[in-house]
């Protein structure tokens, strides 16, 4: 019985978070994401990280946001892992582009 109640509570938390995100009420979405993250819902830990990075509903904090996304990735949330991988690849491409541009300046 407690497993069912736990699952229903998680669904309720996720539903409320999605509702407030959809309606762009970021201060309420932040509260629900934070609560869900504290309850161990990795999807909401990821969303909380995005809210911190974007500064929606909370003061911008890139470091804390990235840490939350990394944590959700370590906990097995595939969307977070993809986000980190894509950002690493983009940084690598920017790095290669800068090398390429500098080669033309030198020669």
């Amino acid at each position: 019985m407690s497993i069912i109640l736990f699952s229903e509570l998680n669904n309720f938390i996720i539903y409320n978070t999605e509702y407030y995100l959809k309606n762009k009420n970021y201060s309420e979405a932040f509260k629900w994401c934070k609560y869900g993250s504290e309850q161990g819902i990795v999807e909401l830990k990821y969303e909380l990280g995005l809210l911190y990075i974007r500064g929606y509903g909370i003061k911008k904090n890139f470091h804390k946001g990235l840490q939350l996304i990394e944590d959700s990735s370590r906990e097995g949330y595939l969307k977070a892992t993809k986000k980190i991988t894509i950002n690493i690849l983009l940084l690598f491409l920017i790095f290669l582009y800068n090398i390429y541009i500098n080669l033309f300046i030198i020669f």
Side-chain angles (χ1 to χ4, degrees), residues 26-48:
Y26 297 117
S27 60
E28 284 299 313
F30 175 81
K31 291 175 191 175
W32 283 101
C33 277
K34 188 168 181 352
Y35 180 66
S37 176
E38 291 166 353
Q39 298 302 312
I41 305 172
V42 294
E43 296 94 332
L44 296 186
K45 186 178 282 189
Y46 169 80
E47 292 295 336
L48 183 62

Side-chain angles (χ1 to χ4, degrees), residues 48-101:
L48 183 62
L50 292 179
L51 290 174
Y52 269 110
I53 287 171
R54 295 175 180 148
Y56 291 172
I58 189 72
K59 184 179 176 185
K60 246 184 203 185
N61 188 334
F62 184 80
H63 180 71
K64 185 166 187 152
L66 186 57
Q67 184 64 48
L68 288 164
I69 292 172
E70 287 175 355
D71 289 348
S72 63
S73 175
R74 276 191 222 100
E75 292 173 23
Y77 190 52
L78 188 59
K79 190 173 182 179
T81 305
K82 287 179 182 178
K83 182 76 128 183
I84 291 169
T85 304
I86 289 168
N87 285 325
I88 290 171
L89 287 172
L90 286 173
L91 288 172
F92 182 68
L93 289 173
I94 290 168
F95 173 74
L96 289 178
Y97 176 76
N98 285 329
I99 290 174
Y100 178 76
I101 294 298

Side-chain angles (χ1 to χ4, degrees), residues 17 19-30 57:
T17 303
Y19 172 81
Y20 288 118
L21 285 172
K22 181 180 175 186
N23 290 295
K24 297 183 178 165
N25 185 341
Y26 297 117
S27 60
E28 284 299 313
F30 175 81

